[in-house]
């Protein structure tokens, strides 16, 4: 059973936050490591798109769960969601990425759990 409708490929930041806050879906940040370290959504998992394209598996805690992919502006995450969907994984992405996430007033933290920034 899929959490997301097959025709639904993108979520707003608010929808993504709601669907990942309770742990039902996993927020997967597909930005590169320096971007990830600067600031990310609390609780997000990290797997750069470059590694995903090279065939890397999802982090263990994301396996078997619906995935909401996010990047800086929404382009890489849309590509990641398409790739994951082709692998049979229930996946969507966040329209506007972390830029839209922060514009919506949603939290961003750095490596130390403090206020992060979008790089």
């Amino acid at each position: 059973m899929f959490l997301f409708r097959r025709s639904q490929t993108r979520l707003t930041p608010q929808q993504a936050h709601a669907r990942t806050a309770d742990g039902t879906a996993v927020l997967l940040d597909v930005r590169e490591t320096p971007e990830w370290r600067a600031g990310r959504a609390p609780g997000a998992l990290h797997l750069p798109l470059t590694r995903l394209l090279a065939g890397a598996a999802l982090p263990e805690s994301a396996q078997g769960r619906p995935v909401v992919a996010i990047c800086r502006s929404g382009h890489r995450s849309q590509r990641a969601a398409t790739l994951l969907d082709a692998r049979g994984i229930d996946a969507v992405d966040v329209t506007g990425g972390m830029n839209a996430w922060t514009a919506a007033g949603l939290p961003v933290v750095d490596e130390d759990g403090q206020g992060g920034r979008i790089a």
Side-chain angles (χ1 to χ4, degrees):
M1 181 173 172
F2 290 97
L3 176 66
F4 306 118
R5 295 184 313 273
R6 284 293 186 199
S7 62
Q8 180 181 25
T9 60
R10 309 200 86 187
L11 299 178
T12 66
Q14 296 88 342
Q15 291 170 320
H17 184 263
R19 294 187 186 187
T20 59
D22 67 1
T24 303
V26 174
L27 188 63
L28 182 69
D29 194 318
V30 298
R31 296 175 298 153
E32 294 301 318
T33 300
E35 296 172 287
W36 163 258
R37 287 184 178 146
R40 58 185 168 264
L45 299 177
H46 184 228
L47 179 60
L49 178 61
T50 52
R51 289 190 45 223
L52 195 58
L53 289 169
L58 287 175
E60 189 174 321
S61 60
Q63 292 180 12
R65 298 174 64 196
V67 172
V68 176
I70 194 165
C71 66
R72 184 170 32 101
S73 64
H75 298 289
R76 288 175 283 180
S77 60
Q78 189 173 27
R79 192 168 174 198
T82 300
L83 176 67
L84 292 170
D85 187 63
R87 291 184 186 176
I89 297 167
D90 189 11
V92 296
D93 81 296
V94 180
T95 302
M98 288 299 296
N99 289 333
W101 183 276
T102 58
L106 296 169
V108 176
V109 296
D110 64 13
E111 288 185 298
D112 299 319
Q114 304 301 312
R117 63 181 176 77
I118 304 308

